[in-house]
Amino acid sequence: MSNRALCREASHAGSWYTASGPQLSAQLEGWLSQAQTSKRPARAIIAPHAGYTYCGSCAAHAYKQVDPSVTRRVFILGPSHHVALSRCALSTVDLYRTPLYDLHVDQKVYGELWKTGMFERMSLQTDEDEHSIEMHLPYTAKIMESHKDDLTIVPVLVGALSESKEQEFGKLFSKYLGDPSNLFVISSDFCHWGQRFRYTYYDESQGEIYRSIENLDKMGMNIVEQLDPVPFGNYLKKYHNTICGRHPIGVLLNAATELQKNGVNMSFSFLNYAQSSQCRNWQDSSVSYAAGALVVH
């Protein structure tokens, strides 16, 4: 490693969200002010990663549960959209830029993770092409601005993990999830419905298509709330719901299971659900978003 800090640019600023710091700050502030605090302090959240015009207000419901006075380190687990990855990958950079301020990668934790031999490196190109981690950086920066000098992040790109790999990574991360100064951000959208996503599951008994989608998503969300990876895996096998962050969610469920085995008491609840549009016919398409929080009791 050279002494020159390597940076990942905010490559989606100016397209997926505004590149103006003051504007972005005001926007995030607005969404957060409309969300309720009910599950604080969250130890983990699930939140979407689409363009902010679509999911910014939904994501606020999860971020509102974060307590910046206890959080020192934010793990961000995002699915890989562009490269085939059978494990998880770590970044090569020291800094992640955001229009608000730069976020420092926790090199100490990165060192510990790297030593396990379970990770690969993602190239800077892969890192900057990927949006699933980046879309959580402005919210992380915003929510943590009162403690930004004490904050580090641990970005992890999650590949298409087998169930046994989800278990291995869950076990590994459970140690970090058990620490109250850590927050886990699980990056996931929910159902991607329509011909362009090659997914058109429809249960007519639910009425309109968008209602069928909501029913399908909420079935999955109720299962996630049980904090057990087995029924979640069964649900995915049965319905093939196109939840892009299913592997990061699987890792979280396995980490939670591990902690529960050791007597840690926790609960997860979803706080908000939204769809990018309401599908009524076969030409339509939509993406669903859900925000939830894990609390350790």
Side-chain angles (χ1 to χ4, degrees):
M1 291 298 278
S2 71
N3 292 332
R4 200 169 57 84
L6 289 170
C7 298
R8 179 202 181 277
E9 295 303 328
S11 51
H12 293 73
S15 50
W16 291 55
Y17 57 95
T18 175
S20 152
Q23 218 177 329
L24 182 60
S25 184
Q27 210 173 36
L28 297 174
E29 190 87 58
W31 286 321
L32 287 163
S33 69
Q34 286 160 18
Q36 303 297 309
T37 305
S38 58
K39 301 289 167 194
R40 222 171 180 198
R43 186 72 56 89
I45 60 174
I46 293 176
H49 55 234
Y52 282 175
T53 48
Y54 296 105
C55 75
S57 64
C58 174
H61 292 268
Y63 279 96
K64 187 76 171 206
Q65 315 314 319
V66 177
D67 184 346
S69 69
V70 297
T71 306
R72 288 294 162 268
R73 193 183 288 114
V74 179
F75 287 74
I76 305 170
L77 275 56
S80 176
H81 287 85
H82 304 290
V83 296
L85 197 59
S86 62
R87 298 192 292 170
C88 291
L90 302 176
S91 178
T92 55
V93 305
D94 309 296
L95 288 180
Y96 274 58
R97 292 206 185 286
T98 83
L100 303 178
Y101 57 88
D102 295 345
L103 297 167
H104 293 260
V105 173
D106 195 308
Q107 297 299 343
K108 177 179 168 287
V109 172
Y110 252 26
E112 293 166 6
L113 296 177
W114 190 245
K115 272 200 199 107
T116 63
M118 290 164 66
F119 293 83
E120 35 199 289
R121 292 268 185 226
M122 54 171 146
S123 68
L124 182 59
Q125 179 77 55
T126 296
D127 204 345
E128 289 186 347
D129 284 348
E130 183 54 64
H131 63 276
S132 72
I133 293 171
E134 179 179 341
M135 296 310 293
H136 291 283
L137 302 175
Y139 255 121
T140 298
K142 180 66 190 165
I143 213 82
M144 293 301 298
E145 63 191 346
S146 59
H147 289 77
K148 65 181 178 195
D149 297 336
D150 309 316
L151 171 68
T152 56
I153 61 167
V154 183
V156 179
L157 190 62
V158 179
L161 307 180
S162 62
E163 285 182 0
S164 61
K165 280 257 191 319
E166 285 182 4
Q167 212 171 350
E168 282 172 38
F169 280 106
K171 212 168 253 188
L172 171 67
F173 283 120
S174 67
K175 166 182 121 176
Y176 298 99
L177 184 64
D179 178 346
S181 67
N182 292 333
L183 168 75
F184 275 74
V185 173
I186 305 300
S187 176
S188 185
D189 296 338
F190 271 69
C191 185
H192 297 61
W193 193 94
Q195 322 271 16
R196 70 191 184 101
F197 299 117
R198 296 193 289 282
Y199 186 76
T200 50
Y201 169 86
Y202 176 38
D203 173 0
E204 286 175 24
S205 72
Q206 297 300 319
E208 298 264 29
I209 294 172
Y210 71 88
R211 298 224 180 263
S212 163
I213 296 169
E214 178 168 358
N215 185 59
L216 176 70
D217 279 329
K218 293 208 164 155
M219 206 189 306
M221 289 156 67
N222 290 338
I223 291 169
V224 170
E225 288 180 343
Q226 297 168 24
L227 291 177
D228 183 342
V230 178
F232 185 60
N234 293 340
Y235 161 84
L236 291 170
K237 284 187 194 99
K238 182 172 179 182
Y239 295 103
H240 303 283
N241 191 357
T242 42
I243 300 171
C244 54
R246 56 192 175 276
H247 299 297
I249 292 172
V251 171
L252 175 69
L253 297 180
N254 277 286
T257 300
E258 195 61 30
L259 287 177
Q260 285 171 316
K261 271 189 224 158
N262 299 324
V264 179
N265 184 15
M266 52 178 73
S267 63
F268 189 94
S269 32
F270 279 100
L271 306 159
N272 190 259
Y273 175 78
Q275 294 176 350
S276 61
S277 61
Q278 294 190 335
C279 294
R280 291 188 160 83
N281 63 57
W282 297 103
Q283 282 66 54
D284 293 343
S285 64
S286 76
V287 180
S288 309
Y289 312 114
L294 175 86
V295 180
V296 175
H297 303 290

